[in-house]
């Protein structure tokens, strides 16, 4: 199975003013496309050819850095587009909300920890909500890593590489993270991944 670039699940200008058409054009058409192209080239002739994307990500971690970086970023971006929607944010579906409150004490504390993880990720990387040992946790990873390679199942990720926010927010990464959590997150997709975790 080779990697393919999925279409965005909304129009390029649908996330404005929180994420611009220009950002999505570069991020989806150039950056994500490059991970797909490079990932397919690096996959050829390896033991992971024909495996599922998750198997490639988990299997290549620590063994084949070039392939892992591109496959990891492909996985992360396939979900990143679905983790956002126009008029996102708002009420978290009931079962997920209950699990978040069980783990963090409140929804506000989860949001605060998630934003803090993204702000404090030094350099490029991701902030995450993931499920580990039945609990919802916040984590952060560098570059193309994600919770799959740390024994957890990702349910929400925010890309904090500069290409994800610099056009719209310049150096104001905290403002981007706050806008992501309050105005962009598609909690229905988060709940769907939570229910399968
Ligand atoms: Mn990106």
């Amino acid at each position: 199975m080779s990697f393919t670039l999925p279409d965005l699940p909304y129009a390029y200008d649908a996330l404005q003013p929180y994420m611009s058409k220009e950002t999505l054009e570069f991020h989806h058409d150039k950056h994500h496309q490059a991970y797909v192209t490079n990932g397919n080239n690096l996959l050829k002739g390896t033991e992971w050819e024909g495996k599922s994307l998750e198997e490639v990500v988990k299997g290549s971690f620590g063994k084949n850095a070039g392939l892992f970086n591109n496959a990891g970023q492909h996985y992360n971006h396939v979900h990143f587009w679905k983790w956002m929607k126009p008029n996102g944010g708002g009420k978290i579906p009931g079962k997920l909300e209950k699990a978040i409150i069980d783990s963090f004490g409140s929804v506000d504390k989860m949001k605060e920890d998630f934003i803090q993880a993204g702000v404090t990720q030094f350099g490029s990387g991701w902030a995450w909500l993931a499920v580990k040992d039945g609990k919802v946790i916040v984590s952060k990873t560098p570059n193309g890593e994600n919770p799959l390679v740390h024994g957890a199942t990702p349910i929400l990720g925010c890309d904090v590489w500069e290409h994800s926010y610099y056009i719209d927010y310049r150096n104001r990464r905290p403002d981007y993270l706050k806008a992501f959590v309050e105005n962009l997150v598609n909690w229905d997709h988060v709940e769907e991944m939570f229910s399968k975790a």
Side-chain angles (χ1 to χ4, degrees), residues 18-183:
Y18 305 107
M19 189 173 281
S20 66
K21 180 169 179 273
E22 188 183 4
T23 290
L24 283 173
E25 285 171 348
F26 274 92
H27 199 174
H28 176 272
D29 298 3
K30 307 291 184 193
H31 291 272
H32 191 174
Q33 179 65 63
Y35 300 132
V36 168
T37 304
N38 295 334
N40 282 329
N41 288 334
L42 291 162
L43 188 60
K44 274 181 206 140
T46 69
E47 64 187 283
W48 300 287
E49 215 174 347
K51 300 275 170 96
S52 73
L53 177 57
E54 286 193 24
E55 287 172 316
V56 178
V57 170
K58 289 188 205 174
S60 62
F61 183 60
K63 289 186 183 164
N64 183 331
L67 176 58
F68 172 76
N69 288 337
N70 287 284
Q73 283 290 70
H74 179 47
Y75 176 93
N76 295 347
H77 287 83
V78 162
H79 291 290
F80 184 59
W81 311 130
K82 294 193 239 174
W83 278 321
M84 298 187 288
K85 68 171 189 179
N87 304 308
K91 180 96 176 97
I92 298 176
K95 270 190 197 161
L96 175 59
E97 185 184 45
K98 186 182 178 305
I100 286 169
I101 293 169
D102 286 348
S103 296
F104 295 90
S106 69
V107 168
D108 284 348
K109 178 73 168 101
M110 176 278 292
K111 289 180 178 174
E112 187 187 319
D113 288 1
F114 183 87
I115 289 169
Q116 186 64 10
V119 169
T120 58
Q121 170 53 40
F122 188 77
S124 296
W126 292 75
W128 299 101
L129 269 189
V131 176
K132 188 171 191 176
D133 304 324
K135 286 197 72 154
V136 183
I137 60 165
V138 160
S139 68
K140 58 184 174 183
T141 58
N143 303 317
E145 271 182 39
N146 65 46
L148 284 179
V149 300
H150 299 290
T153 305
I155 60 171
L156 175 66
C158 183
D159 188 342
V160 298
W161 287 55
E162 285 185 349
H163 64 226
S164 192
Y165 64 89
Y166 221 81
I167 289 170
D168 302 320
Y169 298 86
R170 299 298 171 183
N171 62 322
R172 294 179 292 112
R173 191 192 284 188
D175 290 352
Y176 158 63
L177 279 153
K178 195 164 187 299
F180 179 83
V181 168
E182 297 299 341
N183 303 105

